[in-house]
Amino acid sequence: MLRELKLRGTLGAVADALGYTPSAVSQQLAQLQREVGVPVVERAGRRLRLTEAGEVLAEHADVLLARAKRAEEAALAASGRVAGVVRLVGFQTALLHVLAPALPRLAEAYPELVVDVLDEEFHRVLQALVLQEIDVVLTDEYSHLPRPRRPELRAEVLITEVMRVGLPEDHPLAQDGGPVRMVDLAGCPWATGHVGTNHGDLLERTCVELGGFRPDVRYRSNDLMVIFSMVARGGAVCLVPDLALAEREEGIVVRDVAEARVDRRMVLWTRVGADVRPSVRAVLEELRRSADELVERRPSCIRGVR
């Protein structure tokens, strides 16, 4: 409970994570304080925070829980059995082009394995991985907007793809087949991802750094089909990854960015040591195999880092 309080910050969040009521958590922490003989938590406004003694105990809890997890994973590895649930979170194009082709092979080879999938982009996804709420994460990151690495997590770049400009087919800049300068798009309405997503942040940074302007964002969605519709019918422009296959959509023309190459990377994240579990290892191996096959089908993509 101390470890969860350190990570999550409130009694309510700890209760949700551990399956207790907030009052039960409070009672357990009070009992711990009595047993230890010194305060381990203190009030900070309407929240609880750890005292120095609480911080020391929480660090010991981290060590003990990590050892228990390693023991569990070692037992699973010794059994060699691929079974149970692997929880995976990913973004749209990664799930479509890398995970989906792997699922039939996993189902055929490992009938006792369940892959639980969530299509989601949120800031705390890597923290959820650290907290063991999920097992595997597929995120995107951009060449000039990388995600910070964490010592407790392993990050592997599966694929690198180029970002291009998506334009309505009747846009004046769509008539020439050459690259488009970002500065020439300063007066256009834009479609991009929700505020706080990597896609939304990328657009803002690319327009400022390469074009010298802030984009006029009129349409926001994390669904590429919605963004494509806003481009084809709403007169917007967008930055689109190669794997979105925007050139196949009616009413959209795709052009390279003239000023600089902007890449998107598909990154595979796991906890350090998690691949000892046969089930996680099986999923990771199939994801890598799918990435290999995707690059063969789509030579514009690069396996690993460009």
Side-chain angles (χ1 to χ4, degrees), residues 126-171:
L126 296 183
Q127 183 68 1
L129 184 60
V130 171
L131 293 171
Q132 302 176 22
E133 295 171 358
I134 49 182
D135 302 300
V136 179
V137 174
L138 287 165
T139 66
D140 59 353
E141 68 176 23
Y142 299 92
S143 49
H144 58 300
L145 201 62
R147 293 179 186 265
R149 298 308 193 240
R150 303 179 59 155
E152 63 269 61
L153 299 179
R154 183 174 182 271
E156 173 187 347
V157 177
L158 286 182
I159 289 171
T160 300
E161 57 182 320
V162 67
M163 298 291 294
R164 296 189 172 93
V165 177
L167 302 162
E169 62 182 359
D170 59 355
H171 193 285

Side-chain angles (χ1 to χ4, degrees), residues 19 21 30 53 61 115 120 211 235:
T21 64
V115 183
E120 185 62 273

